[in-house]
Amino acid sequence: MKAPRRPIQAAATWLRRQPPKVKAFLAVISGMAALVLLRAIVHDHDNLFVAAEAVHSIGIAVLIYKLMKEKTCAGLSLKSQELTAIFLAVRLYCSFVMEYDIHTVLDLATLATTLWVVYMIRFNLRSSYMEDKDNIALYYVVVPCAVIALVIHPSTTHHVVNRIAWAFCVYLEAVSVLPQLRVMQNTKIVEPFTAHYVFALGVARFLSCAHWVLQVLDTRGHLLVALGYGLWPSMVLISEIVQTFILADFCYYYVKSVFGGQLVLRLPSGVV
């Protein structure tokens, strides 16, 4: 006689059997429910953006722990770390010349730790770096972001170079995780510390996206006007949503793996 399945296992089995359109619909409903919950329990929605940066920092801390404890960078994408360092450096420049606040301090700390991770992968732990799996060329990511930034950027009173730089870091941040997802797709098996790091990125992206969406709702759309005219306000929101959806599928399998008691995450084909 079979033992009764736990509710979570039964729900996961049911969800897995649903067609893609049903899964997408449920994902949208879940996201909307989470936004409603956040709007009810978080009074100052600026705190969501700070929380997103803090969660990102926690993810970097997990990577540092992995590198120091296990002395290996297997499963990590050097290119994702380099893209992260690029958009953080550009965002720091924009913060110094356009607006200096608590986010500048958080970005500075995150950039410093990211550069340390890049150094460790490039030099100290180079022998364990899976270069053949980390096979997305950086210019495939950087060049399109730069071109879009030249065409679509804020229409504020700042110098045009600063406005283009601001747009560039927004677009690059949205896709900076793609090389890491490619590495995980190529290896199919994701060890715990890397999985924790990518999940932290997913949570950070959702909090950041929630911050912008709720700010737009709170200001009844006036925030979009404050960001400028043209396509730029829409591109900011689209970039946040893209970041969230890029990581949503991975986060689903991560949560499923954790509840299933698995230490190593195994990704089905075509997940990322």
Side-chain angles (χ1 to χ4, degrees), residues 116-173:
W116 186 86
V117 171
V118 170
Y119 173 82
M120 291 294 290
I121 296 176
R122 273 198 171 276
F123 301 104
N124 291 22
L125 304 174
R126 182 75 185 189
S127 60
S128 59
Y129 171 47
M130 298 178 174
E131 189 171 0
D132 59 321
K133 306 294 184 183
D134 196 10
N135 53 14
I136 289 184
L138 286 183
Y139 57 83
Y140 283 151
V141 181
V142 175
V143 172
C145 292
V147 171
I148 298 174
L150 285 171
V151 178
I152 305 175
H153 50 263
S155 55
T156 58
T157 57
H158 301 95
H159 192 279
V160 64
V161 173
N162 298 336
R163 289 186 276 131
I164 292 173
W166 182 10
F168 173 70
C169 72
V170 168
Y171 301 146
L172 187 60
E173 182 182 12

Side-chain angles (χ1 to χ4, degrees), residues 6 8-9 12 16 188-192 195-196 199 249-268:
R6 291 182 296 179
I8 294 176
Q9 291 177 326
R16 188 169 58 249
K188 293 294 189 297
I189 296 177
V190 188
E191 57 82 36
H196 298 336
F199 179 72
D249 211 13
F250 172 84
C251 289
Y252 162 73
Y253 283 98
Y254 174 88
V255 172
K256 177 184 172 184
S257 177
V258 169
F259 279 112
Q262 300 176 15
L263 294 178
V264 176
L265 178 60
R266 289 175 172 80
L267 295 177

Side-chain angles (χ1 to χ4, degrees), residues 60-69 71 78 81 85 109-125:
I60 295 292
V62 169
L63 283 191
I64 292 175
Y65 181 77
K66 166 188 168 69
L67 297 178
M68 295 183 65
K69 179 184 178 182
K71 305 297 182 183
L78 172 62
Q81 296 304 311
T110 305
L111 175 60
T113 52
T114 301
L115 289 174
W116 186 86
V117 171
V118 170
Y119 173 82
M120 291 294 290
I121 296 176
R122 273 198 171 276
F123 301 104
N124 291 22
L125 304 174

Side-chain angles (χ1 to χ4, degrees), residues 209-225:
C209 182
H211 161 262
W212 283 106
V213 173
L214 293 179
Q215 287 282 68
V216 171
L217 293 176
D218 289 344
T219 61
R220 298 183 179 180
H222 293 303
L223 177 64
L224 296 179
V225 178

